[in-house]
């Protein structure tokens, strides 16, 4: 009985210690800030997609429409168009990736807190900046490719007839990628970082590199699903919601590798159906 009381007293003392209370408050602050950032990014994404949709889409031969995301508005320079796309790309990535990133940031804080480090908020923010820096570079690579393809399709109308078939092929490849060891490796590296019981160094350089590490594995593991969004319609809110749900579930659900394979199988079937429809077989 005395031993049990001693354990209870020790536990109560730990839970009321200034360090424990400070950590709990800090974690709640992380959730609060993340929730506000997520709500703001979702709102801005919806506003952006609605404003682009209000501008109309260009019908193309082959029964599809050209997204205005790859086009310049009247009087806009290409640098201005690129900057506008990149800004909204980052906002969109925050909305899509933050739900699965927050648990990783929480695990990072726990790993750093195990060393008794201060400035956890600053280090955690640096990890997040490093993570989204990788996605920013991804967006910088995506825009010129998308703009160039849009220009070619505008100048070569016969090529637009093959776009629905190309979309089906991209979806098929993205689904097949979900089934590969490449996908499994990068998904596991993302899900397991940092390792359980790992105590990370508390310097800014390590925090930045950890954010880059998460961003690289994230972009590698979800590159196929992101490609689907790009070819189906970067402004399509329903497609964005489906891709976000798929990415979040495979990262956070138990047995995420099995979930990824299920998503891959469904995506392969969808790609085959799109190809069949484009070829006039469906």
């Amino acid at each position: 009985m005395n031993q049990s009381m001693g354990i209870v007293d020790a536990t109560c003392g730990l839970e009321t210690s200034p360090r424990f209370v400070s950590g709990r408050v800090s974690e709640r602050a992380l959730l609060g800030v993340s929730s506000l950032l997520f709500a703001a990014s979702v709102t801005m994404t919806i506003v952006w997609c609605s404003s682009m949709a209000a501008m109309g889409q260009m019908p193309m031969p082959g029964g599809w429409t050209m997204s205005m995301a790859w086009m310049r508005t009247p009087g806009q320079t290409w640098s201005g168009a690129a900057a506008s796309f990149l800004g909204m790309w980052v906002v969109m990535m925050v909305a899509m990736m933050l739900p699965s990133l927050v648990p990783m940031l929480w695990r990072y804080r726990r790993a750093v807190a195990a060393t008794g480090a201060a400035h956890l908020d600053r280090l955690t923010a640096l990890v997040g900046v490093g993570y989204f820096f990788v996605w920013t570079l991804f967006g910088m690579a995506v825009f010129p490719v998308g703009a160039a393809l849009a220009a070619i399709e505008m100048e070569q109308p016969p090529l637009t007839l093959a776009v629905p078939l190309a979309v089906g092929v991209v979806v098929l490849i993205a689904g097949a990628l979900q089934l590969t060891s490449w996908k499994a490796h990068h998904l596991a590296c993302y899900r397991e970082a940092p390792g359980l019981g790992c105590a990370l160094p508390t310097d800014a350089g390590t925090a930045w590199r950890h954010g880059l590490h998460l961003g690289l594995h994230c972009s590698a593991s979800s590159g196929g699903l992101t490609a689907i969004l790009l070819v189906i319609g970067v402004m399509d809110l329903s497609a964005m919601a489906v891709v976000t749900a798929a990415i979040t579930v495979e990262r956070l659900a138990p047995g995420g590798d099995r979930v990824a394979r299920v998503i891959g199988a469904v995506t392969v079937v969808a790609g085959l159906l799109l190809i069949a429809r484009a070829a006039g077989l469906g």
Side-chain angles (χ1 to χ4, degrees), residues 46-57 68 235:
I46 293 174
V47 170
W48 175 61
C49 292
S50 299
S51 63
M52 294 295 286
M55 296 173 61
Q57 294 184 328
M68 297 302 295
M235 297 186 304

Side-chain angles (χ1 to χ4, degrees), residues 186-213:
H186 287 288
L187 180 60
C189 288
Y190 183 89
R191 285 170 58 95
E192 297 170 5
L196 294 176
C198 176
L200 295 178
T202 60
D203 60 289
T206 299
W208 173 256
R209 287 190 295 272
H210 185 67
L212 296 179
H213 171 87

Side-chain angles (χ1 to χ4, degrees), residues 36-178:
L36 290 175
L37 185 59
F38 176 72
S41 61
V42 169
T43 300
M44 292 178 65
T45 299
I46 293 174
V47 170
W48 175 61
C49 292
S50 299
S51 63
M52 294 295 286
M55 296 173 61
Q57 294 184 328
M58 185 177 298
M60 303 295 289
W64 61 283
T65 56
M66 174 79 72
S67 172
M68 297 302 295
W70 312 113
M71 311 291 288
R72 290 183 298 172
T73 59
Q76 188 180 42
T77 63
W78 276 115
S79 59
S84 177
F85 174 87
L86 187 60
M88 290 315 305
W89 170 267
V90 172
V91 171
M92 185 175 69
M93 287 300 106
V94 171
M96 293 180 62
M97 303 301 172
L98 197 58
S100 59
L101 176 63
V102 170
M104 301 301 106
L105 296 179
W106 181 83
R107 288 182 62 178
Y108 167 82
R109 291 175 65 88
R110 284 295 177 92
V112 173
T115 66
H119 309 300
L120 287 179
D121 295 336
R122 188 180 307 171
L123 293 173
T124 305
L126 192 55
V127 172
V129 172
Y131 172 88
F132 285 112
F133 176 74
V134 174
W135 277 109
T136 301
L137 295 179
F138 192 92
M140 292 174 65
V142 162
F143 179 77
V145 173
L149 289 175
I152 292 173
E153 291 161 356
M154 293 290 292
E155 295 174 1
Q156 303 291 333
L159 293 178
T160 64
L161 297 174
V163 168
L165 179 62
V167 169
V169 171
V170 170
V171 173
L172 177 63
I173 293 174
L177 188 62
Q178 289 283 115

